[in-house]
Amino acid sequence: MKERLQELQQEAIVKIESANDLKELNDVRVAYLGKKGPITEVLRGMGKLSAEERPVMGALANEVREAIASSLEAKQALLEEAEVERKLASETIDVTLPGRPVKVGNHHPLTAVIEEIEDLFLRMGYCIAEGPEVEKDYYNFEALNLPKGHPARDMQDSFYITEEILLRTHTSPVQARTMEKNQGKGPIKIICPGKVYRRDNDDATHSHQFTQIEGLVIDENIRMSDLKGTLEVFAKKMFGEEREIRLRPSFFPFTEPSVEVDVSCHKCGGHGCNVCKGTGWIEILGAGMVHPNVLEMAGYDSKKYQGFAFGMGPERIAMLKYGVDDIRHFYTNDVRFLQQFKRA
Ligand code: FA5
């Protein structure tokens, strides 16, 4: 038994020495020190030994185990060190390689223009109001003086979901909702940005889904001159201090009188060019004094309160401001286009 134990020790040490990696070393550990290993096997035969021999053999078996264990430990340390060295050699970093460029994103031009418009009106004391894009026919049309069957509904070809529900065609329903919420009392000064939908054919200046920003001011003694002054400030801040505006008579069922607002062409200064189609003016929005019927329907006393409202399309404003020739560029998300609008 003594010889067998010494033989096993030598055998194990040879195998430990020749192990090439941690896995092989572990296999040796399991083979020699495991419960089913040869040392355990030898110890099982101890029962046949005399009482004097037994402790001697037990001590020898422990020595053999410890010798194998410590040589396993030493080899493991060597192999681990070799593994670290191998990794370091294979993962050498070439610090002279050029770095990978980091792509920095920026605001979508439309978002940037909407935020610019919002900031401008917030500084003039307006609040931002929002409303649902899936809207009731009542708020989109009826509460805005457009009863069912009114011919002016054809001005905004609509996506209906049911007879009473549609995708809003403009942001004006937010005015109706806000006035109704105020229960006919007190002033209102809001702008309402948001998405709107129309069954328009997509072309260079039309999209079936686009954005609008509505403005609404309600108070006592509000006049057309307040509307004009507000829009003049807006045009100068948006397109340059030397810009002028002009109001042309128009028609919207929810405003009376109604106007289309033009701004003098920023490219030619009003002399006429390809941007303004030779007229010197560019149309930017629709506006007017809130129709008394709209005020009354929302519970406001139209003798006491007056108001003005306007609605603009930020896509068209962005097109004018940045000289974009096709509205579809805003929706096709070509990074070559989007990257040109880095904020200062
Ligand atoms: C309206 O939608 C009115 N609600 C605006 C208004 C509000 C008038 C309050 C008076 C008082 P209009 O249909 O003209 O008006 O649309 C307003 C703006 O939306 C237009 O000047 C234009 O800039 C933009 N617009 C209209 N249709 C499209 C379209 N298909 N694609 C992109 N922009 C559009």
Side-chain angles (χ1 to χ4, degrees):
M1 187 174 272
K2 186 178 168 194
E3 288 77 40
R4 177 69 186 133
L5 282 171
Q6 281 163 348
E7 213 175 276
L8 283 173
Q9 178 175 349
Q10 270 172 11
E11 226 180 83
I13 288 179
V14 170
K15 287 196 179 160
I16 290 168
E17 290 305 319
S18 58
N20 290 317
D21 56 37
L22 290 165
K23 183 181 173 312
E24 269 182 39
L25 192 68
N26 199 42
D27 290 346
V28 179
R29 183 196 316 278
V30 173
Y32 283 88
L33 301 184
K35 276 186 192 148
K36 291 178 186 157
I39 298 178
T40 318
E41 186 76 9
V42 171
L43 290 175
R44 259 191 221 124
M46 292 229 309
K48 292 184 200 136
L49 296 177
S50 65
E52 299 85 57
E53 275 179 314
R54 232 176 275 155
V56 180
M57 278 308 139
L60 180 64
N62 277 341
E63 267 172 39
V64 169
R65 272 177 175 283
E66 270 164 31
I68 295 175
S70 71
S71 116
L72 276 167
E73 208 175 296
K75 182 71 180 182
Q76 179 163 346
L78 278 178
L79 286 175
E80 278 173 353
E81 203 182 304
E83 179 68 15
V84 170
E85 291 298 329
R86 195 190 58 72
K87 266 201 170 167
L88 283 176
S90 69
E91 293 173 4
T92 318
I93 296 166
D94 182 354
V95 289
T96 63
L97 277 177
R100 291 201 188 99
V102 177
K103 285 189 182 155
V104 180
N106 48 286
H107 271 103
H108 190 282
L110 208 47
T111 308
V113 163
I114 292 171
E115 284 183 0
E116 196 178 337
I117 298 171
E118 283 175 359
D119 283 350
L120 218 153
F121 282 100
L122 285 172
R123 273 183 275 144
M124 289 199 265
Y126 286 69
C127 297
I128 294 179
E130 288 181 329
E133 287 171 31
V134 179
E135 185 53 284
K136 290 185 174 158
D137 179 281
Y138 175 76
Y139 291 111
N140 196 78
F141 289 130
E142 281 181 53
L144 295 169
N145 205 27
L146 273 150
K148 290 213 167 73
H150 193 291
R153 284 191 177 210
D154 294 347
M155 287 161 74
Q156 303 181 0
D157 213 351
S158 324
F159 289 109
Y160 272 92
I161 292 165
T162 68
E163 253 181 47
E164 295 302 331
I165 308 238
L166 74 162
L167 297 182
R168 67 178 178 191
T169 54
H170 51 175
T171 40
S172 303
V174 187
Q175 334 178 351
R177 283 177 174 274
T178 310
M179 283 194 272
E180 189 187 75
K181 209 157 68 191
N182 265 31
Q183 297 181 328
K185 284 183 210 80
I188 297 175
K189 204 171 174 188
I190 52 164
I191 52 160
C192 326
K195 287 190 192 124
V196 300
Y197 305 82
R198 285 188 199 177
R199 291 177 53 176
D200 285 346
N201 289 327
D202 290 2
D203 62 21
T205 52
H206 292 83
S207 173
H208 60 282
Q209 181 248 291
F210 56 103
T211 53
Q212 281 194 341
I213 296 183
E214 190 85 5
L216 173 73
V217 173
I218 304 277
D219 209 338
E220 295 175 35
N221 298 319
I222 294 289
R223 302 192 192 110
M224 192 85 178
S225 52
D226 297 314
L227 170 65
K228 193 174 176 207
T230 303
L231 295 177
E232 211 158 53
V233 170
F234 164 72
K236 285 181 190 292
K237 294 284 175 217
M238 214 53 207
F239 297 104
E241 282 303 319
E242 60 293 354
R243 300 278 64 82
E244 286 171 25
I245 60 161
R246 79 173 179 188
L247 309 187
R248 278 181 294 112
S250 184
F251 171 75
F252 295 104
F254 29 91
T255 47
E256 182 58 38
S258 302
V259 288
E260 296 280 359
V261 181
D262 300 338
V263 61
S264 59
C265 179
H266 55 287
K267 189 173 178 202
C268 63
H271 305 298
C273 68
N274 59 335
V275 172
C276 58
K277 298 194 183 93
T279 64
W281 297 94
I282 300 169
E283 185 186 314
I284 54 162
L285 52 87
M289 299 304 290
V290 179
H291 197 291
N293 287 357
V294 174
L295 286 165
E296 298 286 343
M297 262 187 283
Y300 273 90
D301 177 356
S302 65
K303 297 220 168 47
K304 186 172 173 202
Y305 287 99
Q306 302 79 41
F308 68 73
F310 54 87
M312 64 181 92
E315 282 88 346
R316 302 259 177 96
I317 306 260
M319 286 169 86
L320 290 174
K321 202 170 157 76
Y322 299 118
V324 176
D325 60 0
D326 195 317
I327 196 170
R328 288 168 290 200
H329 287 311
F330 293 120
Y331 301 112
T332 42
N333 287 333
D334 184 336
V335 285
R336 290 168 303 178
F337 172 75
L338 298 176
Q339 274 171 352
Q340 295 174 43
F341 297 90
K342 290 215 160 59
R343 260 190 185 179

